[in-house]
Amino acid sequence: MTPEEVLPEPLLEAIRDRAAGYDRDNTFFFEDLEELTAAGYLKLFVPESDGGLGLGLEAAAQCQRRLATAAPATALAINMHLVWTGVAHILAARGDHSLGFVLQEAAHGEIFAFGNSEAGNDSVLFDSKTAAVPLPGGAYSFTGTKIFTSLSPAWTRLGIFGKDTLARGGEGEMVHGFITRAAEGYSILDDWNTLGMRASQSNTTVLDGVEVQPERIFRKLPVGPNNDPLIFAIFACFESLLAAVYTGIGERALNVGVEAVKRRTSFKNAGRSYAQNPDIRWKIAQAAMAMDILYPQLLTVTRDVDALVEHGPQWFPRLVGLKVNATETARRVVDLAIRVSGGSSYFRGSELERLYRDVLAGMFHPSDDESAHNTVATAWLGPLEELNRPLAC
């Protein structure tokens, strides 16, 4: 199916019409979610044999790019469900069916969310400030605080992880599992009052001894970087789908900017359209050329994931590079669109004003700019050498 078939124009326009209201009122996109669910959108990665659309990462990313042109915050939050179902899909394509239950439950309407981010944890997936304490029978108790938990009002399954500090001879172990909405021992704070991406309602989740049953513990990994397929699958989905959302923001900003330029007229130049102004034309061209570079990068990376292309140590640089390029390019394009659109875009409630706030969230998603550049530099130049000499007095 094409993105236009998955998200037909009437559905897309209905979602676009509601986006400003969700943002203004700082409320969750319940109506969007209901209509997307009815359209089968949350089953993009679910096999057709189970009632899903059976798409791969390339097609799902293009759908998310299209959704983000209408409602970035809705697309960003839906990303979290698609990350988990996408991870299950990527693992299955590589012969690992440990998350097969994710696709099965998504087929029956369960909504998955991502509860991994922690304030101050720049190790991301390779360490955790959350305690995972083993219990008799193979269950674990998790205690810690997770931030940016998108889909907070609606998820029915939350993926979490924490560290068992006593495992592996005291070296520690990362324990991954899922809790259900009905579980006891967690709370969701009503603290999402942000500059942008407001409809995502990515509230803080406090884990206070919440238990994950043995059948819901799906991975135990050593602390620190490792080559487990789960890590690749999470990075591949998370970075690619994030890039798709911000590519959609840039695409929409360029189109809104073009419309504004054609609509604006110059009093000084006898009412001629600003589309005839050489400086304005240069800025539009700059934005369009930036987007033209981004589209094929998103397409190539997601297509290679689907095709099981083996890039070896270059895979993570490609993934983080895509994410950073998408978020930074979208930010520049939104800025250019505002510059050519005139003072009306500065007013609250204008679409470009909202896109300007939404696009800024891109700098906070992992991998951040510093981490991404370090990953790419290490891949090309090797790790930094440690200097074992005393400091000069």
Side-chain angles (χ1 to χ4, degrees), residues 181-202:
R181 193 85 183 186
E184 297 180 355
Y186 77 91
S187 59
I188 299 173
L189 304 184
D190 184 15
D191 62 349
W192 190 248
N193 187 14
T194 51
L195 180 67
M197 293 295 186
R198 289 161 65 81
S200 70
Q201 292 299 296
S202 305

Side-chain angles (χ1 to χ4, degrees), residues 255-270:
N255 287 328
V256 173
V258 167
E259 292 169 4
V261 167
K262 291 180 177 179
R263 188 172 59 247
R264 294 178 67 200
T265 57
S266 171
F267 177 75
K268 182 174 65 175
N269 290 317

